[in-house]
Amino acid sequence: MSAIDDAGRRLRARRRRRDYLLFAAFAAPNFLFLLLFAYWPVVYNGYLSLTDWDMISPAKDFVGLGNYADLLTDPDFRTTLWTTVVFVVGIVAGGIVLGLATALLLNQRLRGRDVVRTLTFAPYVLSGAAVGTLWLFVFDPNYGLIRPLMAPLGLTAPAMTTDSKWALTGLILVYLWKNIGFVAVVYLAGLQGLPREVYEAAALDGAGPWTRLRRITLPLLSPVTFFLLVTCTISTFQAFDVLAVMTGGGPGTSTSTLSWFIYDQGFRAFDAGRSAAGAMIMFVVLLLITAGQARYLERKVHYQ
């Protein structure tokens, strides 16, 4: 009996080794891909942030935390951080509110709603360069579409891309126009998956549309809202394409967000150390924001 048990144990052990080897064979390429293209760049960027390097000379001078000290005491960098906060909050909060409102509208039984859904989502799939070029013509105060729209009201079209008082607002409006379709489609998928019997029971109890929205729709959509808050926050922090085409961080530094600062320091000022330090600061900020969202908002999320 013991010989049979030993043979069985050896057979099970061989099967486990075979399963482990098969798992390793399938997982190793993905793990190496992540190691080379996700984790190693972060580690190497952290090393660069501790150096003074012009991206040309072979020598990298080690300066420790000097780049971080310079950034955190630089008034221009603090302005960049504040601009980034306004930029992210405006786009994420505005996108969530307007995207939900659009999804609620598109969820109604309206004639031609499929066409409207397609048109709403279309800006999201356009390239950032194309969107930026389009809105440069729209915002042109002399020849753009904004001028004939404001002229009947007796208003002068503002210089939305060349006036420091308007540039950030214009940029936020463009990103909202581009991203609302994505938020609306995700919310629409969530709305169509909600149980209809709950709404029928609420209607029988006399609950009006606003009560159903506040008491039923929003709580049931909380997992979708949580997903959108995390993904939209990360993508907005990294937004670059439309900004580069429309304002290039200007006028002055009025639209210089953290992503633009990283590019500007690295590829225009050729200061790899400051650029890498800015990237590490953005990495830490995103990590803290995502962790905070996960810790706080998940307690407010109602999974079915």
Side-chain angles (χ1 to χ4, degrees):
M1 191 69 178
S2 61
I4 296 176
D5 291 340
D6 290 341
R9 282 195 296 269
R10 287 195 296 270
L11 180 61
R12 288 192 294 272
R14 283 197 296 269
R15 287 177 177 173
R16 283 196 297 269
R17 285 195 296 271
R18 183 182 61 190
D19 291 341
Y20 289 149
L21 290 174
L22 184 62
F23 168 77
F26 281 107
N30 294 318
F31 177 75
L32 289 174
F33 180 85
L34 287 173
L35 184 65
L36 291 174
F37 297 102
Y39 301 128
W40 170 245
V42 175
V43 173
Y44 188 69
N45 185 81
Y47 161 71
L48 286 180
S49 70
L50 305 176
T51 65
D52 180 15
W53 183 42
D54 61 4
M55 301 180 67
I56 299 175
S57 62
K60 302 179 182 68
D61 298 327
F62 185 80
V63 295
L65 299 178
N67 289 320
Y68 294 96
D70 289 342
L71 288 182
L72 296 177
T73 57
D74 185 355
D76 291 338
F77 183 74
R78 290 198 293 267
T79 302
T80 295
L81 291 178
W82 175 246
T83 301
T84 304
V85 170
V86 175
F87 181 73
V88 171
V89 171
I91 293 175
V92 174
I96 293 293
V97 173
L98 295 176
L100 177 59
T102 304
L104 290 170
L105 179 63
L106 296 179
N107 197 40
Q108 305 300 314
R109 297 184 180 276
L110 302 174
R111 181 179 298 178
R113 67 176 182 176
D114 292 337
V115 176
V116 176
R117 288 174 179 176
T118 303
L119 294 176
T120 302
F121 186 71
Y124 181 73
V125 300
L126 295 176
S127 72
V131 170
T133 303
L134 169 67
W135 281 90
L136 280 176
F137 285 104
V138 173
F139 283 154
D140 189 291
N142 298 314
Y143 309 103
L145 182 62
I146 193 173
R147 183 170 179 266
L149 289 177
M150 301 190 71
L153 302 175
L155 301 175
T156 303
M160 299 292 287
T161 58
T162 57
D163 188 339
S164 59
K165 294 184 295 185
W166 288 97
L168 186 60
T169 302
L171 206 58
I172 291 173
L173 290 175
V174 174
Y175 272 104
L176 282 174
W177 177 81
K178 187 177 190 302
N179 295 334
I180 281 175
F182 169 75
V183 177
V185 166
V186 175
Y187 266 131
L188 185 60
L191 286 170
Q192 293 178 346
L194 298 183
R196 308 314 307 171
E197 58 271 15
V198 178
Y199 289 92
E200 294 170 359
L204 290 175
D205 290 338
W210 173 247
T211 301
R212 292 198 298 269
L213 173 66
R214 188 166 54 91
R215 299 283 186 174
I216 300 175
T217 304
L218 294 181
L220 290 178
L221 284 178
S222 55
V224 179
T225 303
F226 175 67
F227 165 78
L228 287 171
L229 279 173
V230 173
T231 55
C232 290
T233 299
I234 294 173
S235 63
T236 306
F237 259 97
Q238 299 172 340
F240 178 82
D241 46 5
V242 176
L243 187 156
V245 172
M246 291 190 63
T247 64
T253 58
S254 59
T255 60
S256 178
T257 62
L258 200 48
S259 62
W260 178 261
F261 174 85
I262 293 167
Y263 164 78
D264 184 64
Q265 291 296 308
F267 297 99
R268 298 176 73 181
F270 296 102
D271 192 338
R274 283 172 62 90
S275 177
M280 291 304 298
I281 290 174
M282 184 168 73
F283 173 75
V284 172
V285 168
L286 283 175
L287 199 62
L288 293 175
I289 290 175
T290 305
Q293 287 175 330
R295 183 171 182 177
Y296 175 74
L297 293 176
E298 277 197 335
R299 290 183 291 181
K300 305 293 184 181
V301 171
H302 302 275
Y303 293 100
Q304 297 182 32

